[in-house]
């Protein structure tokens, strides 16, 4: 946001240098990111002075040149060769002295130098108006008023305005500071804190009067929630023309191109007071009626930029009896704006609902100075005042008469809001006790009224325009920024408290698992919780009615909160594969969101995603092995094992996202579902390689993790390993072998491992061979051969009986 220092000084009399003012504004929270110099005429006519022509004779070597002697006010006349036909003795003329830089029409600079013209010395240049940028004329030199003194700077003669412009990085919450008046209010508060007594000068509207009542507009607001306040007035017999220089210079300084006096006044008041305005050509308003309403969806409307737009049923429009004329608070219409032939106008000043304006601007991809302010919240108390201010300025610049009463539709006044401030809370938050009188002084300087007062605190009334100050903590922030963050003392004492926290707290467990997965070659990813609602079509377990939809989405691809972390992971996989990174191990801690009949449901998950080769490409690995289901299952078991979760049961996975998979459950709760993603889902993301995905129910896992750590002494007695080569039916899984063996010996059987699977030659059809190792150990004594043989015999018998296994 650009703020003119000259304009700012119209509100507050101040002789500080711009650097000092910029530093104070930054301390107040209005960070000045830079200060630019503005000149109403490029170069500012620096080096150009008034000269008095003392002599003028014909150049001896050129018929069209003359040699003049010019007094520049320093007592030493200079010789200047001039080619203008109208130069004469006694004239007062503008002279560009040696070293002056002038600019041509294209903005290119050229410097005046001492030189010789046809053999005669010339010490400057007597200028025409186009050479100074003051006009188009080049028929001769400019002849100035006779009463001007030689040596007078031309910038004073032609009222060249120079200004310094602050570039302020305005934060979104500071809607109150979106104008010169708003910045001046803050500046006054800062100066008051520094004991610099200043008065805030506001433009007077006491001269506003109704000249006659000959052009009344009937105004109707159909929905006062969308337009809580609406004001308007008609002005007749105006002349649309270029604005005066002072008005153009104010707008140019802040980067706005002047258009005509009426439009320029509305822009001027917007940046002066923060109140957007709009002028309609009254002759184009059918039936002399203004109707503020929404229109049916699909209505076509052409805006000032000559773009035809399709309206939404929630877009607030300013209409006449024939239809829309303007998108309220956002953009004007092509067929109702002010033109060079406009003679009467209806001037609008309103307070529109910020949410409504923001949605409309977003829907139509429009961002204007008006919508920027309306959607953040303007001051509803100055609507009529700003209207009168603009009307007076239009009369000043365009002539005309006020030809109607001011219409002010304001059915429900927007009230100031109350906040209670506790002095103890101020001290605790700031970390330093401020004098109560200082607090009161700061609040008063911010236009915050003190309604009640006690030893404990204050009852405050916050102005309606301070939409960002609604809580006690907001008031404390206001006090602190005006008092000055730099004025808060640093303590020499460091206080710290030690809290007793459980080892099973969420963030601790996340760190444990994240470190483990990182050591296994995984990379952590963080995806947006917003996604496209179209993903629910990829799985029947995801329901459209469960979608949590955004009221004001940035785009259709970010319109819903995700029901599953899978699609975020597949987006990341696809993104990496497209950039030649096909070997991936990813994990993410995130949340899913569902809109359930009983309310909103938010659950935390941990997901693992693996695709591509097991190991990075290396000269030590001549043949790359792809990641497979059993490797991935190992990662899942490592996570559960690291958290000490045992006694889990494997079940067939119920989700339709997996072509094959397993669900691990504890009791009635599913801890994790994992497997290989179906090809039709992968095809949607243009992924042609197998992807393994695991979805941990993190909330259930946290509930199972014990806060106690159990230690078991390492046995002094040796382990014994026995291997069996089993011939089994092709349909028999290792899991059934594992279960039968565990049931046969529960105490001494410590581990069961499958170390080879063979199917092929020398085996009966429909058979396969499992090579299984069994590890036995007694923590109290060394096992005897007799005990070992007995246990292994029992295991063999049970396997033969339960699974039909045979020893090879």
């Amino acid at each position: 946001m650009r703020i003119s220092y000259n304009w700012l000084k119209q509100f507050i009399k101040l002789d500080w240098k711009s650097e000092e003012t910029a530093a104070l504004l930054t301390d107040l929270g209005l960070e000045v990111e830079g200060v630019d110099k503005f000149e109403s005429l490029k170069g500012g006519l620096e080096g150009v002075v008034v000269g008095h022509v003392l002599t003028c004779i014909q150049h001896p070597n050129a018929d069209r040149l003359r040699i003049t002697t010019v007094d520049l006010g320093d007592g030493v006349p200079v010789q200047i060769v001039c080619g203008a036909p109208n130069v004469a003795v006694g004239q007062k003329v503008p002279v560009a002295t040696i070293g002056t830089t002038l600019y041509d029409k294209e903005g290119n600079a050229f410097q005046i130098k001492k030189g010789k013209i046809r053999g005669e010395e010339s010490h400057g240049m007597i200028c025409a108006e186009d050479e100074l940028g003051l006009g188009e004329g080049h028929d001769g030199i400019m002849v100035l008023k006779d009463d001007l003194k030689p040596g007078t700077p031309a910038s004073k003669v032609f009222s060249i305005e120079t200004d310094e412009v602050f570039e302020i990085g305005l934060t979104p919450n500071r809607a109150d500071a979106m104008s010169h008046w708003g910045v001046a209010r803050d500046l006054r508060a800062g100066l008051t804190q520094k004991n610099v007594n200043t008065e805030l000068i506001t433009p007077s509207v006491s001269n506003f009067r109704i000249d006659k009542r000959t052009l009344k507009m009937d105004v109707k607001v159909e929905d006062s929630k969308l337009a809580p306040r609406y004001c308007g007035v008609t002005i007749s017999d105006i002349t649309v023309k270029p604005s005066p220089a002072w008005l153009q210079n104010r707008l140019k300084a802040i980067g706005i191109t002047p258009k005509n006096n009426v439009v320029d006044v509305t822009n001027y008041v917007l940046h002066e007071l923060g109140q957007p305005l709009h002028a309609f050509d009254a002759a184009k308003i059918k039936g002399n009626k203004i109707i503020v309403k929404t229109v049916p969806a699909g209505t076509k409307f052409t805006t000032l930029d000559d773009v035809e737009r399709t309206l939404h049923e929630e877009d607030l429009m300013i209409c006449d009896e024939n239809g829309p004329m303007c998108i309220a608070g956002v953009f004007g219409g092509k067929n109702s704006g002010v033109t060079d032939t406009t003679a009467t106008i209806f001037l609008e000043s309103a307070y529109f609902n910020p949410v409504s304006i923001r949605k409309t601007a977003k829907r139509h991809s429009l961002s204007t100075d008006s919508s920027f302010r309306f959607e953040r919240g303007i001051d509803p108390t100055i609507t009529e005042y700003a209207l009168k201010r603009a009307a007076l300025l239009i009369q000043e610049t365009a002539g005309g008469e006020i030809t109607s009463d001011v219409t002010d539709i304001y059915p429900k006044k927007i009230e100031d809001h109350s906040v209670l401030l506790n002095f103890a809370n101020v001290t605790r938050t700031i970390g330093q006790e401020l004098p109560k009188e200082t607090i009161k002084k700061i609040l008063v300087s911010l236009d915050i009224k003190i309604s009640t007062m006690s030893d404990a605190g204050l009852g405050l009334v916050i102005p309606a325009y301070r939409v960002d100050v609604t809580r006690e903590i907001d008031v404390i922030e206001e006090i602190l920024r005006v008092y000055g963050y730099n004025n808060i003392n640093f303590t020499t004492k460091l206080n710290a408290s030690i809290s007793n926290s459980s080892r099973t707290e969420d963030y601790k467990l996340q760190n444990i698992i994240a470190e483990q997965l990182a050591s296994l070659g995984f990379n952590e990813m963080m995806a947006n919780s917003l996604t496209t609602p179209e993903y629910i079509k990829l799985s029947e377990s995801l329901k459209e009615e469960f979608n949590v939809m955004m009221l004001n989405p940035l785009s259709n691809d970010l319109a819903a909160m995700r029901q599953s972390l899978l699609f975020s992971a597949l987006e990341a996989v696809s993104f990496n594969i497209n950039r030649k990174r096909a070997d991936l191990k990813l994990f993410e801690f995130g949340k899913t969101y569902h809109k359930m009949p009983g309310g909103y449901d938010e659950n935390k998950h941990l997901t693992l995603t693996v695709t591509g080769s097991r190991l990075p490409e290396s000269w030590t690995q001549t043949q790359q092995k792809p990641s497979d289901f059993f490797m991935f299952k190992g990662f899942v078991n490592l996570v559960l094992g690291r958290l000490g979760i045992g006694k889990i049961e494997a079940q067939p996975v119920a989700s339709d996202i997996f072509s094959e998979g397993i669900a691990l459950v504890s009791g009635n709760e599913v801890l994790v579902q994992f497997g290989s993603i179906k090809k039709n889902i992968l095809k949607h993301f243009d992924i042609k390689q197998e992807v393994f995905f695991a979805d941990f129910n993190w909330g259930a896992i946290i509930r199972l993790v014990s806060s106690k750590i159990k230690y078991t002494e390492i046995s002094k007695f040796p382990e014994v390993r026995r291997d069996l080569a089993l011939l089994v039916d092709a349909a028999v899984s290792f899991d059934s072998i594992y279960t039968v063996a565990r049931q046969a010996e529960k105490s001494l059987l410590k581990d069961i491992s499958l170390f080879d699977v063979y199917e092929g030659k020398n085996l009966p059809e429909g058979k396969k061979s499992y090579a299984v190792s069994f590890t036995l150990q007694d923590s109290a004594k060394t096992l005897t051969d007799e005990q070992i043989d007995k246990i292994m015999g029992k295991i063999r018998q049970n396997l033969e009986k339960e699974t039909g296994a045979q020893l090879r």
Side-chain angles (χ1 to χ4, degrees):
M1 182 181 70
R2 294 175 65 85
I3 293 294
S4 158
Y5 198 17
N6 288 349
W7 200 343
L8 199 60
K9 289 177 181 177
Q10 291 180 198
F11 289 98
I12 194 162
K13 299 300 181 184
L14 190 63
D15 57 1
W16 283 19
K17 293 181 179 179
S18 61
E19 293 82 1
E20 296 176 282
T21 304
L24 179 55
L25 288 173
T26 298
D27 288 343
L28 288 166
L30 302 177
E31 183 179 2
V32 177
E33 298 174 342
V35 181
D36 300 326
K37 186 176 180 180
F38 168 77
E39 296 168 330
S40 59
L41 184 68
K42 192 170 184 178
L45 297 183
E46 187 175 346
V48 181
V49 299
V50 174
H52 183 202
V53 181
L54 301 177
T55 66
C56 179
I57 61 174
Q58 184 67 43
H59 193 293
N61 301 319
D63 294 341
R64 296 185 178 183
L65 297 179
R66 290 175 175 80
I67 301 173
T68 64
T69 305
V70 182
D71 176 14
L72 299 181
D74 56 2
V76 183
V78 298
Q79 178 174 295
I80 299 176
V81 176
C82 179
N86 65 327
V87 64
V89 173
Q91 290 175 337
K92 299 291 177 65
V93 294
V95 177
T97 57
I98 300 298
T100 298
T101 298
L102 298 179
Y103 298 87
D104 61 21
K105 294 179 180 180
E106 287 72 34
N108 300 315
F110 62 93
Q111 192 176 52
I112 305 301
K113 299 178 180 178
K114 176 184 175 182
K116 285 187 176 182
I117 301 177
R118 293 291 183 94
E120 297 292 335
E121 289 189 356
S122 183
H123 297 264
M125 183 174 77
I126 303 175
C127 302
E129 64 177 25
D130 67 330
E131 292 168 331
L132 297 177
L134 295 171
E136 299 295 328
H138 194 71
D139 296 337
I141 59 169
M142 292 187 72
V143 179
L144 307 178
K145 293 180 180 179
D146 290 337
D147 58 354
L148 293 174
K149 292 182 179 181
T152 302
S155 59
K156 292 184 178 180
V157 176
F158 297 105
S159 301
I160 303 302
E161 183 172 349
T162 59
D163 197 357
E164 291 171 293
V165 182
F166 302 119
E167 186 68 46
I168 295 179
L170 192 68
T171 53
N173 63 310
R174 291 303 308 276
D176 62 295
M178 293 187 297
S179 64
H180 287 75
W181 189 20
V183 172
R185 280 191 303 235
D186 253 26
L187 188 58
R188 178 194 59 179
L191 292 169
T192 302
Q193 179 59 26
K194 292 182 177 293
N195 296 317
V196 178
N197 294 321
T198 55
E199 181 184 356
L200 188 63
I201 304 168
T202 54
S204 172
V205 294
S206 59
N207 290 332
F208 180 87
R209 60 181 52 85
I210 301 165
D211 298 303
K212 50 189 175 183
R213 295 176 174 84
T214 56
L215 183 59
K216 180 185 178 183
M217 291 288 171
D218 293 325
V219 179
K220 180 181 179 182
V221 178
E222 292 191 357
D223 191 341
S224 60
K225 291 182 179 179
L226 298 180
R229 188 173 190 185
Y230 191 90
C231 296
V233 71
T234 61
I235 308 174
S236 301
D237 300 325
I238 63 170
T239 302
V240 178
K241 58 185 179 180
S243 298
W246 70 266
L247 179 53
Q248 291 196 36
N249 289 338
R250 284 285 179 265
L251 296 179
K252 287 178 181 178
I254 59 175
I256 295 177
T257 303
K259 293 181 175 61
N260 59 56
N261 46 6
V262 175
V263 174
D264 290 350
V265 164
T266 61
N267 284 329
Y268 180 87
V269 173
L270 180 147
H271 289 277
E272 179 187 50
L273 303 177
Q275 171 66 56
L277 301 154
H278 190 71
F280 297 89
D281 187 329
K284 299 175 182 176
I285 301 175
K286 304 303 179 183
N288 286 352
K289 290 183 179 180
I290 297 290
I291 307 167
V292 185
K293 64 177 183 177
T294 57
V295 296
T299 301
K300 303 296 182 182
F301 179 68
T302 303
T303 46
L304 281 170
D305 56 358
D306 208 27
V307 175
E308 185 180 73
R309 304 179 188 274
T310 303
L311 300 178
H312 188 273
E313 66 267 17
E314 294 182 0
D315 292 337
L316 186 65
M317 304 298 295
I318 310 300
C319 307
D320 60 14
E321 63 178 15
N322 282 1
M325 298 188 295
C326 172
I327 303 177
V330 180
F331 212 25
K334 178 182 178 181
N335 300 321
S336 62
V338 173
T339 64
D340 292 342
T341 59
T342 297
T344 58
I345 62 170
F346 174 75
L347 188 61
E348 167 197 275
S349 177
Y351 176 88
F352 296 120
N353 182 286
V355 175
S356 172
I357 299 301
R358 182 167 60 249
K359 287 183 177 181
T360 295
K362 185 70 67 176
R363 271 192 292 266
H364 297 288
S365 299
L366 290 170
S367 180
T368 61
D369 284 337
S370 292
S371 67
F372 180 82
R373 286 157 177 79
F374 275 128
E375 66 189 28
R376 284 161 175 79
I378 62 172
D379 185 356
T381 65
I382 67 166
T383 311
E384 183 181 9
Y385 167 71
L387 181 74
K388 292 179 178 179
R389 168 68 171 157
L392 289 172
L393 287 173
I394 288 173
Q395 284 187 297
E396 178 185 335
T397 60
E401 297 178 314
I402 308 296
T403 51
S404 73
D405 291 313
V406 173
T407 300
D408 187 2
I409 300 176
Y410 197 14
K412 186 177 180 181
K413 184 179 178 182
I414 298 173
E415 301 289 346
D416 297 339
H417 45 279
S418 300
V419 173
L420 295 177
L421 178 69
N422 187 291
F423 290 130
N425 290 340
V426 175
T427 301
R428 183 169 57 252
T429 303
I430 294 177
Q432 178 179 321
E433 185 174 1
L434 304 184
K436 294 180 181 179
E437 290 304 315
T438 299
I439 293 175
K440 296 175 187 176
K441 180 181 177 182
I442 290 172
L443 293 173
V444 171
S445 71
L446 291 169
D447 294 334
I448 296 176
K449 299 176 183 178
I450 300 174
S451 57
T452 59
M453 194 181 314
S454 69
D455 292 338
L458 302 171
L460 305 174
V461 178
I462 313 297
Y465 66 80
R466 289 309 305 269
V467 294
D468 60 320
V469 182
T470 58
R471 306 165 298 168
E472 182 186 42
I473 191 64
D474 298 328
V475 176
I476 295 173
E477 182 184 1
E478 291 296 293
I479 294 169
L480 182 55
R481 72 179 181 86
V482 175
Y483 182 78
Y485 290 96
N486 296 332
N487 294 325
I488 302 300
N489 298 324
F490 286 97
T491 180
T492 57
K493 181 181 178 183
L494 179 64
N495 297 322
S497 58
I498 300 174
S499 61
N500 181 24
S501 60
S502 168
R503 65 176 289 272
T504 60
E505 285 194 36
D506 189 354
Y507 77 95
K508 290 185 177 181
L509 296 180
Q510 284 192 47
N511 287 338
I512 290 172
I513 297 304
E515 289 174 2
Q516 181 196 34
L517 291 171
S519 70
L520 293 170
F522 280 79
N523 289 305
E524 184 170 9
M525 61 171 280
M526 297 179 68
N528 199 333
S529 294
L530 296 176
T531 187
T532 172
E534 297 299 313
Y535 282 155
I536 63 169
K537 297 177 182 178
L538 299 178
S539 172
E540 293 181 1
S541 60
L542 306 178
K543 304 295 183 183
E544 184 176 0
E545 59 267 24
F546 293 164
N547 268 336
V548 180
M549 302 299 296
M550 296 295 99
L551 295 177
N552 187 25
L554 294 173
S555 69
N556 289 333
D557 289 337
L558 299 172
M561 303 194 77
R562 59 184 177 181
Q563 292 189 41
S564 171
L565 274 63
L566 168 64
F567 307 114
S568 302
L570 293 180
E571 286 176 350
V573 169
S574 177
F575 182 89
N576 279 273
I577 290 175
N578 290 337
R579 286 153 184 81
K580 307 302 182 183
R581 292 179 57 89
D583 304 330
L584 301 169
K585 295 186 180 74
L586 305 173
F587 74 95
E588 178 184 12
F589 287 98
K591 292 181 178 179
T592 59
Y593 308 87
H594 296 78
K595 184 180 180 181
M596 308 303 287
Y600 292 99
D601 196 9
E602 184 176 329
N603 296 304
K604 197 161 194 175
H605 295 256
L606 163 65
T607 62
L608 308 184
T609 308
V610 172
T611 188
S613 300
R614 291 188 177 205
L615 298 172
E617 190 174 15
S618 169
W619 65 272
T620 61
Q621 300 290 328
T622 57
Q623 287 188 338
Q624 289 289 327
K625 286 188 175 182
S627 301
D628 59 28
F629 180 84
F630 294 101
M631 183 198 78
F632 189 63
K633 180 182 178 184
F635 291 139
V636 172
N637 287 332
L638 283 172
V639 170
L640 296 176
R642 182 65 182 86
L643 296 173
I645 296 177
K647 297 182 180 179
I648 54 178
E649 180 185 349
Q651 294 180 355
V653 70
S655 176
D656 64 347
I657 64 172
F658 298 113
S659 58
E660 57 177 0
I662 293 176
L664 300 181
V665 301
S666 175
N668 294 323
E669 281 197 297
V670 177
L671 301 184
V672 57
Q673 297 183 88
F674 64 95
S676 177
I677 301 299
K678 283 184 174 179
K679 289 184 178 180
N680 66 309
I681 296 178
L682 298 179
K683 184 178 180 181
H684 183 84
F685 295 89
D686 197 26
I687 299 172
K688 299 179 176 63
Q689 61 193 54
E690 191 170 19
V691 177
F692 299 97
F693 180 76
D695 186 359
F696 291 83
N697 182 347
W698 191 250
I701 287 174
I702 289 176
R703 290 190 291 273
L704 286 178
V705 175
S706 173
S707 60
K708 296 180 181 179
I709 300 176
K710 296 179 181 181
Y711 296 92
T712 303
E713 184 181 359
I714 297 176
S715 177
K716 300 175 183 178
F717 304 100
E719 293 179 344
V720 177
R721 170 172 164 163
R722 292 289 187 267
D723 297 339
L724 295 179
L726 302 173
L727 186 65
V728 297
D729 291 337
V732 175
S733 66
F734 171 69
D735 185 60
S736 60
I737 301 290
Y738 184 94
T739 303
V740 171
R742 279 290 182 196
Q743 291 173 348
E745 178 53 55
K746 296 181 180 179
S747 60
L748 299 181
L749 184 58
K750 301 300 182 185
D751 185 48
I752 307 169
S753 177
L754 177 67
F755 62 89
D756 186 43
V757 179
Y758 175 73
E759 292 180 276
K761 291 182 179 181
N762 302 322
L763 291 182
E765 187 177 349
K767 297 288 186 178
K768 62 183 175 181
S769 175
Y770 278 157
V772 184
S773 68
F774 300 86
T775 302
L776 305 171
Q777 186 182 41
D778 191 334
S779 59
K781 61 183 180 180
T782 300
L783 290 171
T784 64
D785 290 339
E786 186 179 345
Q787 286 178 296
I788 295 168
D789 291 342
K790 183 179 180 181
I791 293 171
M792 294 305 299
K794 185 178 180 182
I795 291 174
R796 285 197 304 270
Q797 290 176 4
N798 286 9
L799 288 173
E800 291 173 359
K801 181 180 178 181
E802 299 292 337
T803 67
Q806 301 174 15
L807 285 179
R808 289 189 63 195

